[in-house]
Amino acid sequence: MKRLVVLLLLLVQYNLFSQDDLFNERPPMFPDCENASIESQQKCFNENVFQLLFNKFKVPQNVLDDNYKGEVVILFEVDTTGQFKIIYVDAMYNELKDEAERVFSEFPKIKPGIYNGNPTFKQYSITLKIPLEDKVVETQDLRQENEISKIERQAKLEYDEVNASIKSFSNKSYSSQLNIPFTHTDYSRFDRSMNLVGTNSHTASKPFVYNDVSKYYDFKAETEALKKETSSWVGRKLWNEHLVQVEANDFWFTVDPILDLEGGKDTNADFSTTYNNTRGLLVQGGLGKHFNFYTTVYESQGRFAQYVNDYAESLKAFGPDPAIVPGRGIGKRFRTDSYDYPVAEAYLSYAPAKFINIQFGHGKNFIGDGYRSLFLSDVASPHPFLKLNTSFWKIKYTNTWMWLKDVRPDATVDKAFLTKYMASHYLSWNVSKRLNIGLFESVLWTNSNNRGFDVNYLNPVIFYRAIEFETGQGAGNALLGASAKYKWNDNVNLYSQFILDEFSLTDVTAGQKSWKNKFGYQLGVKYFNAFKVNNLMLQFEYNRVRPYTYSHNTIVLNYGHNNQSMAHLWGANFSEAILIGRYHYKRWFGNAKLVLGVRGLDYNDGTDNFSYGGDIYRDYNDRPFDTGITVGQGNKTDTFYANLQAGYLINPASNLKIFTDITFRNFNPELETASAFKSNTVWFNIGLRTDLFNWYFDF
């Protein structure tokens, strides 16, 4: 009996020993490791993984050219079927990451790891030296299944899994809900593509969203055509890529520096040079397919041509700050003759459905097909806005609500600028393959009688004129407008605008030229690929606005913000002809602009303080007469402006450009006054600029 017990114990012990491989943790098994001892199986696995890597891994040529020395850290997994999978690769070059992905995709399928007699997945990390070194490298086992729970394992791997979602940057901005930064120069690159006969595009409401333009213009193909072949990281960031660009399955973002470094000379100024010194940061990105964000922060100091400085100081707001830099914002004194003007712009863009885009931010908008707009322009300072774009069938409907400021000393309350509100509707309808018609209306109102932001104007489909009558005719200032565009052919577009502030049919039929007839119009033509020269665009535009248009007897209700017009740069009481040429070839570009105009200014000389209708910040009741009102009345002033610019696009991703230009300006009033005096300007300029917005110096 004793011998039987001893025999049974020996059998149990032998059985337990023989079943060790079923109950103990074993690594994944390559075929040549199956006969290895238990103690050496992990070492065998390590050697096989490294030799496969060493034999298959090809160091990319640009890495070799840079004489790069470093490491590639690879986190990988062998799943329960024995399949190798890359989780995350940490390397200096994207090409190294791609090569690691390629090599592991060619790894053979092996026996999976074993734990408690069952197949299990195992995670490891391995470090590969660059240049490649043929030596034994140990993998690090990241799975300790007998020590931690499944939840704990997942928590410990969370950071690595987030990193594992990062992939090669494909520039999702081109199909995003982000705005294409609005500059006339850059928009001319795809203007023709959007205006071909038969396209169902809508081109008046700007800035455009990438997703809308990408239907007609291949951003990726154009960017690839401009790409410079370079192998170094510095070369890629300088010529082709964003400084920081990160992309995963459900998000992406980019970071770029902003520069506007300029130096020049105004021959008509007492100071020796002009300059602009802007540094900033641009961050943009997307979360999912329908939500995008964009923000820019600028810190700037500048001294411009004398006529620009004079104009900036004429816009001075209440308080100690001496100027408002046109189109940018309030400028503090910097040194003795320069301005410090910080600016920030940002917005959120969301598309809850295919036909709707909602934006909320701080920036500027533009409505029109021309260089100028008589409806809504981008010449004033940035301001808060809420915009709703709805597109369906042959219609695009744009609702914009804006928060503006009246910064005059008379309008301040407890040393705070007065807030006023503006709402606008613009309906664009493609009547046919060639004809587009637009209808526009807007209204401004203030916080009088504690009115605040009037919810009546939140209605996106109501007529503002009716609301104005309902709330009191003196409570707001409403304007109406209409536009038309006709595609003569693929290369010729005709466009127009008509703005109506006030109208008296009786006075028109009586031929009295009444002051009540406050309106303006625009006529223009664009000629693409002019004279069969590819990428040459010629544009002619004529604008004429009668006196007192955009003004109001309650000055705060005028069509302005920060002492600047929300429509045409010149305000009212002017006629203007513009000729523009734009050309680009690969990364090179050139622009030419000629402006001829007649303006009617006020005298303001102590003996004649009437408003002649050009300054929208004057009460129209200060007019000298009621009839016989003509464009150019008052201190008639002839304006000549010409600008030639040539440049080179350094980086298409950030829109960094180097340029030089020369400006000629002649300003010739009939009578010189303290605010209007004759000047002849020749302004040379050279600069390096991240081109994100329009500068308007043609006033």
Side-chain angles (χ1 to χ4, degrees):
M1 185 67 181
K2 291 181 179 179
R3 292 179 180 179
L4 181 60
V5 171
V6 171
L7 180 62
L8 287 173
L9 289 173
L10 289 173
L11 288 173
V12 169
Q13 182 179 6
Y14 175 78
N15 186 61
L16 289 173
F17 179 79
S18 65
Q19 296 299 317
D20 183 71
D21 61 333
L22 294 178
F23 293 99
N24 292 334
E25 185 176 9
R26 295 282 184 89
M29 195 82 68
F30 283 91
D32 60 354
C33 298
E34 293 182 11
N35 296 324
S37 65
I38 295 174
E39 294 80 6
S40 61
Q41 285 175 352
Q42 184 64 58
K43 181 179 179 182
C44 183
F45 173 80
N46 296 346
E47 291 174 347
N48 274 270
V49 170
F50 176 75
Q51 285 303 317
L52 282 171
L53 263 175
F54 183 82
N55 294 332
K56 293 177 176 292
F57 198 95
K58 304 298 181 184
V59 179
Q61 188 60 46
N62 65 311
V63 179
L64 294 173
D65 292 342
D66 291 347
N67 294 318
Y68 172 71
K69 294 181 180 180
E71 296 179 342
V72 179
V73 180
I74 304 170
L75 174 66
F76 66 95
E77 176 183 279
V78 183
D79 66 16
T80 56
T81 68
Q83 186 70 50
F84 284 86
K85 294 180 181 179
I86 283 277
I87 297 177
Y88 173 66
V89 182
D90 184 14
M92 177 67 73
Y93 294 80
N94 286 330
E95 290 83 356
L96 289 172
K97 297 179 182 180
D98 295 339
E99 179 62 11
E101 293 271 3
R102 183 194 69 79
V103 171
F104 266 83
S105 69
E106 297 179 2
F107 270 30
K109 194 172 183 180
I110 63 175
K111 288 185 177 181
I114 297 294
Y115 182 72
N116 282 345
N118 297 311
T120 186
F121 65 94
K122 304 280 285 182
Q123 286 188 344
Y124 299 92
S125 70
I126 187 169
T127 301
L128 195 64
K129 295 285 187 180
I130 304 295
L132 293 176
E133 298 179 12
D134 189 2
K135 64 178 184 178
V136 176
V137 177
E138 292 187 1
T139 63
Q140 180 182 356
D141 190 349
L142 300 180
R143 289 282 179 176
Q144 302 294 332
E145 305 222 25
N146 56 337
E147 296 179 6
I148 57 177
S149 69
K150 182 178 180 180
I151 293 178
E152 288 174 328
R153 291 197 307 271
Q154 187 64 34
K156 288 176 178 290
L157 292 169
E158 184 178 13
Y159 181 81
D160 290 328
E161 289 174 354
V162 170
N163 280 339
S165 69
I166 304 300
K167 59 183 182 180
S168 297
F169 191 76
S170 63
N171 212 332
K172 291 184 177 181
S173 64
Y174 295 151
S175 58
S176 72
Q177 297 297 321
L178 283 176
N179 293 333
I180 305 172
F182 177 42
T183 69
H184 292 290
T185 298
D186 292 328
Y187 272 45
S188 68
R189 287 178 173 264
F190 46 78
D191 204 352
R192 180 180 184 273
S193 299
M194 295 190 68
N195 281 291
L196 297 175
V197 175
T199 57
N200 192 33
S201 62
H202 299 269
T203 58
S205 182
K206 299 179 177 75
F208 298 145
V209 172
Y210 274 107
N211 189 48
D212 291 340
V213 179
S214 61
K215 303 172 186 175
Y216 312 102
Y217 183 80
D218 193 337
F219 288 100
K220 289 187 177 180
E222 293 297 325
T223 301
E224 283 297 315
L226 295 176
K227 188 175 182 179
K228 281 185 176 291
E229 294 300 327
T230 177
S231 57
S232 68
W233 181 88
V234 173
R236 295 199 315 272
K237 297 305 175 182
L238 175 63
W239 299 110
N240 300 323
E241 297 180 0
H242 298 282
L243 178 63
V244 177
Q245 50 186 37
V246 177
E247 182 176 322
N249 293 328
D250 55 357
F251 75 89
W252 66 271
F253 68 88
T254 66
V255 181
D256 288 294
I258 296 173
L259 297 174
D260 191 351
L261 309 176
E262 303 177 30
K265 172 64 178 176
D266 175 7
T267 60
N268 193 44
D270 295 333
F271 45 80
S272 58
T273 59
T274 64
Y275 73 92
N276 191 60
N277 177 18
T278 293
R279 298 86 57 216
L281 192 68
L282 186 159
V283 181
Q284 61 181 348
L287 301 175
K289 295 182 179 179
H290 307 294
F291 183 82
N292 292 100
F293 58 89
Y294 175 101
T295 182
T296 56
V297 179
Y298 302 82
E299 175 59 32
S300 305
Q301 295 81 39
R303 179 176 60 230
F304 308 95
Q306 186 62 56
Y307 80 92
V308 179
N309 297 336
D310 291 339
Y311 180 63
E313 298 201 10
S314 74
L315 301 176
K316 174 179 166 32
F318 170 77
D321 300 317
I324 293 179
V325 177
R328 303 310 292 151
I330 293 176
K332 300 180 290 183
R333 178 62 68 197
F334 180 70
R335 296 177 180 171
T336 58
D337 54 4
S338 304
Y339 310 109
D340 186 334
Y341 58 103
V343 181
E345 297 185 68
Y347 64 87
L348 303 175
S349 181
Y350 177 58
K354 182 179 179 180
F355 52 88
I356 293 178
N357 173 261
I358 303 170
Q359 294 186 6
F360 176 69
H362 189 268
K364 298 191 279 189
N365 293 278
F366 186 100
I367 296 178
D369 286 290
Y371 174 69
R372 310 285 199 192
S373 175
L374 305 185
F375 295 169
L376 178 64
S377 186
D378 61 337
V379 301
S381 307
H383 46 269
F385 70 89
L386 172 65
K387 182 163 69 173
L388 173 64
N389 276 317
T390 307
S391 301
F392 62 96
W393 189 49
K394 304 180 208 177
I395 287 175
K396 182 174 183 177
Y397 190 44
T398 301
N399 299 88
T400 311
W401 296 270
M402 290 155 278
W403 288 257
L404 310 177
K405 294 291 185 181
D406 191 319
V407 298
R408 295 172 300 117
D410 295 343
T412 57
V413 178
D414 295 329
K415 298 183 179 181
F417 299 141
L418 178 66
T419 299
K420 60 181 182 179
Y421 310 96
M422 178 176 170
S424 70
H425 295 160
Y426 181 72
L427 175 68
S428 174
W429 175 32
N430 288 326
V431 180
S432 70
K433 293 181 179 181
R434 298 177 184 269
L435 179 63
N436 172 274
I437 291 177
L439 299 175
F440 173 80
E441 64 170 344
S442 69
V443 65
L444 292 104
W445 72 98
T446 65
N447 195 28
S448 59
N449 299 322
N450 295 319
R451 185 181 182 189
F453 192 93
D454 196 331
V455 295
N456 287 292
Y457 297 117
L458 283 175
N459 191 324
V461 292
I462 203 166
F463 288 102
Y464 290 146
R465 182 65 75 175
I467 294 297
E468 186 191 21
F469 273 92
E470 181 179 303
T471 56
Q473 294 187 44
N477 181 16
L479 291 87
L480 299 175
S483 65
K485 180 180 67 177
Y486 186 76
K487 304 173 186 177
W488 188 271
N489 55 44
D490 285 346
N491 290 326
V492 178
N493 277 192
L494 309 174
Y495 62 89
S496 64
Q497 286 186 338
F498 178 80
I499 188 71
L500 178 63
D501 190 353
E502 193 170 346
F503 187 73
S504 173
L505 181 61
T506 303
D507 291 333
V508 170
T509 56
Q512 295 179 333
K513 297 181 179 179
S514 171
W515 73 275
K516 297 178 183 178
N517 295 321
K518 300 185 290 182
F519 61 84
Y521 62 87
Q522 175 186 91
L523 300 172
V525 58
K526 291 181 181 178
Y527 183 15
F528 304 109
N529 292 342
F531 306 112
K532 299 183 179 180
V533 177
N534 287 338
N535 303 322
L536 174 62
M537 190 274 284
L538 299 179
Q539 180 179 5
F540 174 79
E541 182 172 301
Y542 179 75
N543 297 290
R544 186 179 181 89
V545 178
R546 280 182 55 80
Y548 308 109
T549 307
Y550 305 117
S551 61
H552 201 272
N553 60 354
T554 303
I555 298 177
V556 71
L557 293 178
N558 64 13
Y559 208 66
H561 163 64
N562 271 10
N563 288 340
Q564 302 155 86
S565 172
M566 288 295 289
H568 196 289
L569 180 65
W570 292 4
N573 191 17
F574 68 85
S575 62
E576 171 196 47
I578 305 173
L579 182 62
I580 297 174
R582 304 190 191 277
Y583 176 73
H584 67 271
Y585 175 73
K586 296 183 178 178
R587 293 191 181 219
W588 295 95
F589 65 91
N591 299 312
K593 179 167 57 179
L594 179 66
V595 180
L596 296 170
V598 176
R599 307 165 66 177
L601 305 179
D602 297 338
Y603 292 102
N604 293 331
D605 58 1
T607 60
D608 186 343
N609 293 317
F610 290 113
S611 169
Y612 286 89
D615 184 356
I616 67 171
Y617 277 85
R618 293 288 303 272
D619 183 345
Y620 57 57
N621 285 331
D622 292 340
R623 60 188 180 275
F625 26 77
D626 292 340
T627 58
I629 302 298
T630 59
V631 171
Q633 68 178 17
N635 191 4
K636 186 177 180 180
T637 302
D638 295 322
T639 299
F640 171 85
Y641 177 92
N643 177 268
L644 294 173
Q645 183 182 89
Y648 183 78
L649 177 61
I650 296 175
N651 190 327
S654 61
N655 212 22
L656 180 66
K657 302 175 180 178
I658 186 170
F659 70 95
T660 183
D661 70 358
I662 182 172
T663 296
F664 303 89
R665 179 181 182 267
N666 180 268
F667 191 76
N668 188 20
E670 283 185 338
L671 178 66
E672 290 194 90
T673 66
S675 58
F677 43 87
K678 296 180 180 180
S679 65
N680 286 284
T681 300
V682 180
W683 183 16
F684 299 94
N685 212 22
I686 186 170
L688 179 70
R689 173 189 296 163
T690 306
D691 206 6
L692 301 176
F693 59 88
N694 291 306
W695 278 107
Y696 294 99
F697 294 127
D698 44 7
F699 41 79

